[in-house]
Amino acid sequence: MNDHRRPQNDRPLPRQSGIRRRNFLAGSLAAGAVAFARTQAWAQNGATVPQACVPPIPPGQPVSFTPSTGGPVRVRKSAFELSAPEITRLKNAYAALRDLTKQKPDDPRGWFHQGQVHCWYCSGALDGLWGQEIHGGWWFLPWHRAYLFFHEQILGALIGDPTFALPYWDWDTPGRDRFPFDVYGQPGDTGNPLFDPTRGVGPNDRIPARFVGTTAMKNVLNSRTFADFGGSSDQEIGMGNLEGGPHGAVHVWTTDPTVDFNNPKPDMGVLASAAFDPVFFAHHANIDRIWDKWNKADPTQHTNPTNSVWLQQGFFFYDQSPNWTYISNDQMLAPELLSYNYQTPQTSAGPGPIASAAAAAPAVRLAQRLSAPVVELHQGAAPKALTPEPMTVQTTIPPQGREKLTASATAGAAPPTVILRIEGVEIPADRGALVNVFLNRPDATAASGPDDPGYVGTIAVVASQAPGGVGHKHPVIRNFSFDITGKLAASLGSDNNVAVTLVPATGTGKKPAAVNLSYSRVYIATRQ
Ligand code: C2O
């Protein structure tokens, strides 16, 4: 065992809860010592799809992250609001990062290895030596927060500027539902360190409102628990509304404005290659900002998990020194703990305060666990395949079930949070998925979206690997939870019939030609 790679102090090793731990660290890195020698990228249509993503072997002991004190606070601004000198600074930083890879290809701080970091943690590598999967559940937000933090430190150190900050691409600000060409796309050639030749968007393309419009964003920001917003845990593995909604859609849109999840294209459209486009970091800075915004919108209810498994989980990154560094979730609960913050978008057209539904809701407990299913809509022996046509599962709720699921607040007791759960969603590793979910709207079509009263959410999953790649492919299995409190009560007729309709869609609202997705169970439960 490679004990020298373990954290030296009392911080626990990463726990195994709730994620498939593929030979994390010990096995993976040891084998990686051999594999690293042949680490290479596979170039396809100008895209860089890694075949092996194992990080360079740490030269010495890992160190525990210690927050810096007294240094400048890095202020992250909208990519649409950078001044000319700030754009130049950003370009200089990425030029230095790319140059480092040219000068020292094995330096973990260089551009190539920075891009590889994401691949290693997304099971996107084809070498079987991946790290833990940090997508699809409650590691998603903290892992990406730490990744951006170290990436930003490295960029700042390379240009000797401790105030250097990553910009954020605020696609959720009205009017900014477009690619930030002025910063990341001009000039559109590889002489520009922020340019990536694999993008498919043009200056006139707009991200469909169904993904990032006001209604879609309210759906995300009104999530009442961290599980619904940011993903859930060992007991209840599942993707949060932010990851499974706008996050995934913007990834795919960047390479393909029709947002065809069935035909994922590197770089941004495939997780294994996504971080080889510099705009990835601006996209994720926005994800991170929205997490912070959600926390601050309602400090009593919008809290991060308090479960020690989550708090003590940590991740390894190379820092700017470069030291192989262990940082845990409890060290990054808020941007302030890492000496950066977000400047609010300086536009009068910005979205107003978060809608009332969350604010007005009576206090709900923050527990993560679901009750036993109250209503089973589908539970098959074999996974059920989705077709391009909308598919409805339905049943009649027994009277006690109706009572339980539609109870309103009584003195001293909050009404139950009602969750629609779709489990065992299986997607091939080289395919993504875009499926809209509706409640009691069996006539929903691919054109129906967030403005439909029966809309409860979207499954927007980015492919892990490039299509047609070689090597091992394992399907990705995920679970999804949607908060249907209130919506269920409002849509139930006297017949007590409840119907859930899954509508595969493409970004343009057309129905896809083919769908590569199956699911094993659909039910309704309450959060306890
Ligand atoms: Cu790690 Cu946007 O994905």
Side-chain angles (χ1 to χ4, degrees), residues 223-247:
S223 304
R224 292 190 283 182
T225 63
F226 186 89
D228 293 331
F229 176 77
S232 53
S233 67
D234 47 337
Q235 296 302 307
E236 197 198 316
I237 303 166
M239 196 180 265
N241 291 333
L242 180 57
E243 182 185 0
H247 162 259

Side-chain angles (χ1 to χ4, degrees), residues 141-203:
L141 289 174
W143 184 85
H144 287 84
R145 173 166 285 175
Y147 179 29
L148 261 61
F149 171 77
F150 289 112
H151 183 68
E152 186 177 62
Q153 299 271 323
I154 290 167
L155 288 165
L158 288 178
I159 56 166
D161 184 345
T163 67
F164 172 83
L166 289 168
Y168 61 83
W169 172 12
D170 51 331
W171 28 255
D172 55 317
T173 300
R176 295 184 177 171
D177 52 349
R178 60 191 179 83
F179 191 85
F181 273 102
D182 290 353
V183 177
Y184 286 88
Q186 303 288 345
D189 59 56
T190 47
N192 174 359
L194 302 177
F195 176 75
D196 185 285
T198 67
R199 296 171 190 152
V201 288

